[in-house]
Amino acid sequence: MKLRNKSVCYLKKKIVNKGADGEKYAGYSEEPVKIEATVYSKSGQLQEEQSGNVQLYQKKLLYDEPFTITNENGVETYWFKEKAFNMAAGDGICVYSTADQKPDYKITAIYPVGHLKIVLEKI
């Protein structure tokens, strides 16, 4: 089944930065990767029955590109377009923000069932 109503989103990889005091904190890369995916809310009767309540701050992304899965240091990483770019849980997605802004959602889970189902959570 071909996906319709695709939206343009931007993927920003999670990186670990060091502050002036030596503390580590998570941030996101400045180089966005443009992806086209179907975005929809994770609210509704079926999702409510599965999770126990309606998650208004979550969204799902359906991405339809060939991928390969690798396991790097215990983290499942999904590679696309002959290893041109990858995504994993913790990366940021600009759904409603532009490519030069900070991501407004982060990836919490990726399910390789049919289309790649990516669960997002509001930052």
Side-chain angles (χ1 to χ4, degrees), residues 11 13 63-72 75-89 91 110-116 118:
L11 170 72
K13 296 295 298 171
Y63 191 57
D64 193 22
E65 289 290 329
F67 61 90
T68 56
I69 304 173
T70 61
N71 192 341
E72 299 175 3
V75 177
E76 281 189 355
T77 305
Y78 294 79
W79 291 90
F80 301 95
K81 299 185 181 181
E82 288 84 34
K83 297 203 175 199
F85 72 96
N86 66 4
M87 73 172 65
D91 291 345
I110 303 174
Y111 302 108
V113 181
H115 303 290
L116 198 62
I118 305 165

Side-chain angles (χ1 to χ4, degrees), residues 8-95:
V8 174
C9 302
Y10 296 95
L11 170 72
K12 292 193 173 187
K13 296 295 298 171
K14 178 182 174 183
I15 56 173
V16 178
N17 296 321
K18 276 193 172 182
D21 55 354
E23 287 290 321
K24 294 179 182 178
Y25 62 95
Y28 297 100
S29 66
E30 294 296 322
E31 303 86 30
V33 176
K34 180 181 173 181
I35 61 173
E36 291 185 11
T38 302
V39 180
Y40 64 95
S41 295
K42 193 184 171 190
S43 61
Q45 186 177 3
L46 180 62
Q47 279 80 18
E48 184 177 350
E49 290 172 1
Q50 290 174 347
S51 64
N53 57 359
V54 178
Q55 304 294 331
L56 298 176
Y57 57 91
Q58 290 186 336
K59 295 215 173 280
K60 278 191 179 177
L61 213 83
L62 293 178
Y63 191 57
D64 193 22
E65 289 290 329
F67 61 90
T68 56
I69 304 173
T70 61
N71 192 341
E72 299 175 3
N73 300 327
V75 177
E76 281 189 355
T77 305
Y78 294 79
W79 291 90
F80 301 95
K81 299 185 181 181
E82 288 84 34
K83 297 203 175 199
F85 72 96
N86 66 4
M87 73 172 65
D91 291 345
I93 299 278
C94 299
V95 176

